[in-house]
Amino acid sequence: MASAILKRVSASAKSTLVESMRIRASSRAFAAVAVGTDIVSVAPNVSLQKARSWDEGVSSKFSTTPLKDIFKGKKVVIFGLPGAYTGVCSQQHVPSYKNKIDEFKAKGIDSVICVSVNDPYTLNGWAEKLEAKDAIQFFGDFDGRFHKSLELDKDLSVALLGPRSQRWSAYVVDGTVKALNIEEAPSDFKVTRADVILNQI
């Protein structure tokens, strides 16, 4: 009898735990950052690392770029992705922006930026491989602090990637988010295409 009651209690507790985890997962499906958010204020003291070779990193004394230097006084389109050299990122996401760069410039965009939880040296090699470095600025978020601050981080250990970024895009004016798109899953490529955000500018 006691054993049966204990089993029922354990099953109930397990069900409650699973439901709690589901609610938490659901609440994190979309980031705290939203239209109207000042990115520089939400991620204070966070810097990104411009894509570069190792020798360039050494000669610059491993310098980083404060967010205010990237966003303040500028019109920026930024998109984040799970990682360099991965499938959708290489075959669709970056090429969609590279191929539309003239249209972004025609709309007065100062810079189109790709950011990923990668070191700047890996990003540099990837950008060169994609022949996209002349069109797009690539920045590394090597420790994920930028994406964590915006709640755009994602655990992709299931794909052997570890802590990474969600797939997202934003139109930012003087640091303030004017449009924001976040895919439901990092493997999706529906709302973060270049043509989508072009229509939001």
Side-chain angles (χ1 to χ4, degrees):
M1 176 87 172
S3 176
I5 292 172
L6 184 59
K7 283 181 180 176
R8 281 201 299 273
V9 170
S10 296
S12 174
K14 184 177 180 182
S15 175
T16 301
L17 177 61
V18 168
E19 184 60 28
S20 172
M21 289 173 68
R22 185 179 294 119
I23 290 169
R24 276 202 298 272
S26 173
S27 69
R28 285 279 281 125
F30 293 97
V33 64
V35 172
T37 298
D38 183 330
I39 285 185
V40 179
S41 297
V42 170
N45 305 316
V46 172
S47 296
L48 296 175
Q49 309 85 44
K50 192 157 190 170
R52 60 200 172 209
S53 68
W54 177 258
D55 289 341
E56 289 170 332
V58 171
S59 66
S60 72
K61 297 182 179 178
F62 304 107
S63 65
T64 61
T65 306
L67 294 185
K68 62 182 178 56
D69 292 354
I70 296 172
F71 294 108
K72 286 302 183 181
K74 300 172 184 175
K75 292 181 178 179
V76 175
V77 166
I78 183 169
F79 62 100
L81 39 78
Y85 295 101
T86 55
V88 175
C89 305
S90 298
Q91 296 160 16
Q92 298 180 67
H93 208 166
V94 171
S96 82
Y97 285 81
K98 175 188 169 185
N99 295 336
K100 298 278 188 182
I101 196 64
D102 289 339
E103 293 179 49
F104 283 114
K105 297 300 181 186
K107 289 206 171 197
I109 298 301
D110 294 300
S111 56
V112 174
I113 293 171
C114 173
V115 63
S116 176
V117 182
N118 284 108
D119 64 80
Y121 321 111
T122 296
L123 277 182
N124 188 64
W126 184 50
E128 289 181 348
K129 181 179 175 65
L130 295 177
E131 299 180 347
K133 209 173 171 187
D134 290 339
I136 299 168
Q137 293 182 31
F138 288 78
F139 282 90
D141 177 23
F142 84 96
D143 57 1
R145 285 180 61 211
F146 175 66
H147 285 94
K148 286 175 187 173
S149 296
L150 302 181
E151 292 191 1
L152 288 169
D153 54 310
K154 185 84 171 174
D155 185 356
L156 294 179
S157 295
V158 69
L160 306 181
L161 293 170
R164 294 285 178 150
S165 159
Q166 298 193 51
R167 191 178 304 282
W168 61 282
S169 64
Y171 170 45
V172 184
V173 178
D174 193 28
T176 300
V177 177
K178 299 296 184 180
L180 177 67
N181 309 294
I182 308 170
E183 300 287 358
E184 289 187 15
S187 57
D188 288 346
F189 188 54
K190 300 171 184 174
V191 300
T192 57
R193 303 188 317 267
D195 61 315
V196 172
I197 205 153
L198 268 168
N199 290 327
Q200 296 172 326
I201 297 172

